[in-house]
Amino acid sequence: MQPTASHFVNGAYLDDTAGTALPVIYPATGEVIAQLHHATPAVLEAALAAADAARAGWAATPAADRGRILRRAADIMRERNRDLSVIETMDTGKPLSETLVADASSGADALEYFGGLIGALTGDHIPLGADWAYTMREPLGLCVGIGAWNYPTQIVCWKAAPALACGNTMVFKPSETTPLAALQIAAIFTEAGLPPGVFNVIQGAGDVGGALVTDPRVAKVSLTGSAPTGRKVYAAAAASMKQVTMELGGKSPLVIFDDADLEDAVSAAINANFYASGQVCSNGTRVFVQGGIKAAFLDRLAQRVGNATIGDPLDEATNFGPMASERQLEIVQGFIAKGLAEGARLICGGGRVDRAGFYLQPTIFADVTDDMTLAREEIFGPVLSVLDFDTEAEVLARANATDYGLAAGVMTRDLARAHRMVAGFQAGTCWINSYNLTPAGMPFGGAKSSGFGRENARASLEAYSQMKSVYVGMGRVEAAY
Ligand code: NDP
């Protein structure tokens, strides 16, 4: 798994072994599988200088040509889906059965989508009598992307695809927990014809991210991470009026009404809690279940979760893998202990899996109440909490009683009720009779403390470009004196 070098700058791999050592740990065994280095100040400067120098040329490249390069990169990613999926699995520990269908493929979807859409990013013509005005959208310039560790491939593509399509350049810093995937994608971009300097990857922890955010050459920062980091990065970016996209955490509700299809409700709850061992920002970790379906739901959920195949993530029969890091495992164990101490009823799981690596059993708690830590804090692990409710009005108020607002879901056969619930949810992304599907064409992002701005869809083209208005005078210029 050892990559050619730690960083990818100005169209080529780059290393500086003077940087602090960055060991890459395979979560399924705890073994070190690669040795990288954090960016030194020299590497950081090289990346920023390269992205700054590439700005004018890339912005002047016709949109059709930019789009073609992105679509070529998408094709290469699809051809190499298996290799990229193995890297994603080694980076994160997610089972290959997931990564083969969710990571490089969704990254390629974004590249293809924005590569195709960019030609449609046009301005308006505004008639003003004899005079007229028009608008045009211009790139912002040098953008910084900072990623979390749960979807390293997808996060790169969700940020780079719209940014590059719009004519911006980018310096991307992956999470230090999962540094491998972004390097592969940078190399693929170069192979697809991206000019040197347009997309650069440097490794490092929060200090490297912080240095990128405060650099005066940077016009925009897009962060995927936790809400506390988001607050820091947002504040730092504000000092020099940089634009931001903040994709932060959540504590999202999934509401299951009595009339929901039982198997679909259980499937939605599984998809909302256990994919990627629960390390998904939009997870519906507060599962509100109405009284009439509760007993059947809990029985069937426990039964089906008991069928999860926990094992070697590289074995395609495995569908539940380890946590991404030992630190995250310990954090989640702490939440489980709090859940027990505060009186939640453990239905299944709760402990480590008896094998090497950072495995935690899929865990279900029932009788969780709104005041418990399980219901209030983002856990980011395989812990599903079932809360009881009686009425629609009650559950909507309780679903919204959180500072977060990333996502929400509702399971019911009554579509009028589903749309009423969605209208009432304080959340940026909602699902009706479904959960956690995030196609490239659908805007994704949060409300309240879950962030600002949207990724994917047309909305993100607007987030990576700025509007210029042009008034065109067609007659003589009048003045008062
Ligand atoms: P963190 O907030 O800890 O880190 C996110 C990234 O920011 C990392 O690359 C980190 O570097 C970097 N960073 C940390 N401090 C700073 C700083 N002061 N300035 C600039 N960069 C900084 O999040 P995690 O990596 O732990 O990811 C989990 C979180 O991400 C969860 O809250 C989850 O909900 C959220 N998330 C949100 C998604 C969304 O789309 N809304 C999707 C996926 C995850 P390093 O860690 O290397 O030190």
Side-chain angles (χ1 to χ4, degrees):
M1 277 300 130
Q2 183 66 38
T4 308
S6 300
H7 319 286
F8 196 96
V9 173
N10 211 16
Y13 280 103
L14 173 72
D15 221 334
D16 182 348
T17 51
T20 312
L22 173 53
V24 185
I25 294 167
Y26 181 37
T29 60
E31 287 165 335
V32 174
I33 51 165
Q35 277 289 359
L36 275 63
H37 295 93
H38 289 238
T40 55
V43 167
L44 185 96
E45 176 53 31
L48 286 166
D52 195 38
R55 226 161 26 89
W58 184 240
T61 302
D65 294 350
R66 296 197 301 258
R68 196 172 305 116
I69 291 169
L70 297 184
R71 294 198 309 277
R72 214 178 282 143
D75 291 343
I76 299 172
M77 284 185 74
R78 286 197 209 291
E79 281 159 23
R80 301 203 193 133
N81 183 44
R82 179 163 286 272
D83 293 348
L84 293 169
S85 303
V86 169
I87 290 167
E88 176 87 5
T89 289
M90 302 296 282
D91 241 356
T92 62
K94 291 185 293 186
L96 194 55
S97 61
E98 280 188 21
T99 56
L100 280 170
V101 296
D103 293 280
S105 56
S106 70
D109 284 351
L111 292 165
E112 206 167 59
Y113 178 85
F114 288 107
L117 189 63
I118 189 58
L121 187 71
T122 55
D124 290 324
H125 169 265
I126 302 148
L128 299 167
D131 292 351
W132 52 287
Y134 65 97
T135 62
M136 53 207 270
R137 292 210 77 99
E138 297 181 327
L140 299 171
L142 198 176
C143 299
V144 159
I146 301 177
W149 39 259
N150 56 346
Y151 280 88
T153 300
Q154 188 187 72
I155 290 171
V156 170
C157 294
W158 279 19
K159 296 188 190 310
L164 271 43
C166 288
N168 303 285
T169 61
M170 180 167 268
V171 177
F172 187 88
K173 188 202 86 66
S175 162
E176 63 185 304
T177 309
T178 53
L180 298 177
L183 294 169
Q184 297 293 319
I185 295 164
I188 287 173
F189 281 158
T190 299
E191 193 180 331
L194 196 73
V198 174
F199 182 76
N200 310 272
V201 174
I202 60 169
Q203 311 294 348
D207 57 334
V208 172
L212 289 172
V213 172
T214 48
D215 192 277
R217 287 164 287 192
V218 172
K220 161 154 190 153
V221 180
S222 176
L223 170 80
T224 298
S226 62
T229 303
R231 283 191 194 95
K232 278 190 229 159
V233 170
Y234 204 163
S240 49
M241 214 58 93
K242 293 178 182 14
Q243 300 203 22
V244 295
T245 299
M246 293 282 144
E247 293 295 349
L248 310 177
K251 191 71 204 172
S252 302
L254 168 61
V255 179
I256 296 171
F257 283 96
D258 283 345
D259 69 343
D261 178 279
L262 179 64
E263 290 304 318
D264 285 351
V266 170
S267 298
I270 289 172
N271 292 342
N273 282 276
F274 297 124
Y275 212 66
S277 282
Q279 302 162 115
V280 180
C281 51
S282 49
N283 269 359
T285 50
R286 290 183 296 144
V287 183
F288 290 93
V289 183
Q290 208 169 15
I293 198 176
K294 180 184 168 187
F297 175 81
L298 277 176
D299 279 355
R300 190 66 184 129
L301 180 66
Q303 199 180 23
R304 285 184 49 191
V305 168
N307 291 335
T309 307
I310 305 175
D312 173 5
L314 291 170
D315 177 348
E316 281 181 56
T318 297
N319 52 29
F320 189 91
M323 310 289 306
S325 68
E326 189 161 24
R327 185 175 135 65
Q328 190 60 21
L329 169 76
E330 287 165 2
I331 290 172
V332 179
Q333 283 179 304
F335 280 112
I336 292 172
K338 269 196 187 139
L340 292 169
E342 291 176 11
R345 178 162 58 100
L346 186 65
I347 301 288
C348 66
R352 288 190 71 157
V353 176
D354 186 20
R355 54 181 295 145
F358 314 135
Y359 287 84
L360 195 55
Q361 295 166 328
T363 299
I364 300 170
F365 281 102
D367 304 341
V368 175
T369 52
D370 296 351
D371 56 332
M372 288 183 189
T373 308
L374 285 176
R376 286 188 290 107
E377 292 188 28
E378 184 181 46
I379 297 174
F380 226 59
V383 181
L384 182 161
S385 295
V386 173
L387 299 89
D388 305 342
F389 80 93
D390 293 320
T391 69
E392 185 181 319
E394 169 215 338
V395 76
L396 184 59
R398 290 171 59 201
N400 287 336
T402 166
D403 286 342
Y404 288 114
L406 183 54
V410 55
M411 302 295 295
T412 174
R413 286 193 174 96
D414 179 345
L415 279 183
R417 172 157 63 193
H419 290 291
R420 273 198 308 274
M421 287 293 293
V422 161
F425 280 143
Q426 295 168 357
T429 310
C430 296
W431 289 278
I432 294 173
N433 292 333
S434 163
Y435 207 90
N436 263 347
L437 295 177
T438 55
M442 178 176 112
F444 178 81
K448 297 175 17 185
S449 290
S450 291
F452 178 81
R454 293 292 176 268
E455 295 202 297
N456 285 339
R458 212 187 155 81
S460 90
L461 285 186
E462 284 157 17
Y464 281 102
S465 61
Q466 58 195 335
M467 184 174 281
K468 179 178 274 176
S469 302
V470 184
Y471 187 105
V472 183
M474 298 294 286
R476 301 300 308 264
V477 179
E478 289 178 18
Y481 51 86

